[in-house]
Amino acid sequence: MKIVLIGAGNVATSLGKALLDAGNDILQVYSRTQESAARLAEMLGGSPVTDLDKVNPEADVYIVSVKDSVIAELVPRLCKGRAEKVFLHTAGSIPADVFEGMALHYGVLYPMQTFSKGKLLDFNDIPCFIEWNDEMALEVVGTLANSISSRVAPLNSEARKHLHLAAVFACNFVNHCYEISSEILARQGVPFDIMLPLIDETARKVHAMPPAEAQTGPALRYDRNVIRMQAELLRDNPIFKQIYESMSLSIHHTAQNKN
């Protein structure tokens, strides 16, 4: 298929490479800055563009992969004069009907993974959740998703919002906990990589058992002496202290409710 990518960030970079490898033609890459558009366009073999009015009208599908906060403002200009084409976005928390009234055929291609420009991933095992408003959009989004992933499933906008929320807890919040851990260790001159065997084993456990069964630590036992002592170690950083105390309370209450 002939594709125009709207966006040149982390998701657009990995998705664009996967679509190219699957035999699709990336006609253009749009970004607000020439540097970003040119960098990704060079990788994907298309041409860079920084003006939505100059986006190629001959594409089969336009894939919007930008920050959630700017999707709504981009869509009217992007769809103008191209309403009969297919439009997709890649966002977890934006409904498919953001295109309604401006495009006839639209949907969502949401790859649930954490992406970084410096680390391209094998899309085959990345779950891709799709949504569509009509048969033409289904044909396009289904074909694209199945060409890059072996794990494709339909999911409506409301369920996808909850999926995205769950992913924030499982990925973004967990990674922030790594950052907090790194800061605590750095104050004592201890390198963060000392934590990697622990992190890896924790991740391996939830492949074999439910997270509730994998939980350990003082909060699970509700060891108040340890919890108070550790919270006090964070007295100079009230936000970290609040996170520690809230997380400990949540672990304790969750465990109690399951017993």
Side-chain angles (χ1 to χ4, degrees):
M1 290 189 195
K2 293 182 290 186
I3 299 170
V4 169
L5 274 179
I6 306 299
N10 293 338
V11 177
T13 298
S14 288
L15 178 59
K17 184 63 165 60
L19 290 169
L20 179 68
D21 290 346
N24 297 286
D25 184 9
I26 311 300
L27 299 181
Q28 283 180 326
V29 174
Y30 165 85
S31 179
R32 288 178 299 175
T33 67
Q34 179 67 25
E35 181 182 2
S36 295
R39 185 185 305 116
L40 184 53
E42 182 179 6
M43 177 192 299
L44 302 179
S47 59
V49 61
T50 58
D51 184 347
L52 284 174
D53 295 330
K54 295 180 180 178
V55 166
N56 193 322
E58 301 303 320
D60 299 309
V61 56
Y62 299 82
I63 302 178
V64 179
S65 187
V66 297
K67 291 191 301 184
D68 291 9
S69 59
V70 301
I71 290 178
E73 68 183 64
L74 286 179
V75 164
R77 286 184 63 195
L78 177 63
C79 294
K80 186 177 180 180
R82 308 177 184 91
E84 295 185 357
K85 299 301 180 74
V86 176
F87 294 83
L88 307 174
H89 74 66
T90 63
S93 295
I94 301 297
D97 63 12
V98 69
F99 297 108
E100 189 173 9
M102 288 165 282
L104 297 176
H105 319 288
Y106 56 83
V108 177
L109 171 54
Y110 173 53
M112 193 186 69
Q113 184 54 276
T114 176
F115 295 101
S116 299
K117 289 182 183 179
K119 189 175 188 298
L120 295 177
L121 302 176
D122 178 1
F123 250 80
N124 188 55
D125 291 327
I126 295 176
C128 288
F129 297 91
I130 61 174
E131 186 177 3
W132 58 91
N133 77 315
D134 65 8
E135 289 301 315
M136 183 172 174
L138 169 59
E139 174 66 23
V140 170
V141 71
T143 299
L144 290 178
N146 282 290
S147 75
I148 60 176
S149 173
S150 62
R151 304 182 66 183
V152 177
L155 199 69
N156 65 39
S157 292
E158 184 62 26
R160 192 175 66 258
K161 286 192 293 187
H162 288 82
L163 176 69
H164 190 213
L165 171 61
V168 167
F169 273 93
C171 174
N172 307 130
F173 287 178
V174 168
N175 190 72
H176 184 58
C177 288
Y178 295 158
E179 184 178 3
I180 293 173
S181 173
S182 180
E183 289 194 26
I184 292 170
L185 291 170
R187 293 173 194 159
Q188 306 303 316
V190 179
F192 178 69
D193 62 11
I194 200 72
M195 288 291 170
L196 295 181
L198 176 63
I199 290 170
D200 292 344
E201 177 57 22
T202 303
R204 278 193 293 267
K205 283 204 294 186
V206 295
H207 282 264
M209 64 181 74
E213 293 180 17
Q215 188 69 58
T216 61
L220 181 70
R221 304 186 300 270
Y222 207 56
D223 188 330
R224 297 186 183 185
N225 290 332
V226 173
I227 292 171
R228 277 196 296 265
M229 181 270 291
Q230 292 187 336
E232 181 62 17
L233 292 175
L234 296 168
R235 63 185 178 276
D236 292 335
N237 193 318
I239 294 179
F240 286 2
K241 185 172 184 288
Q242 182 181 5
I243 291 172
Y244 176 88
E245 291 173 336
S246 296
M247 192 79 76
S248 296
L249 188 61
S250 179
I251 291 170
H252 174 60
H253 282 178
T254 301
Q256 278 193 318
N257 291 335
K258 290 186 180 297
N259 291 334

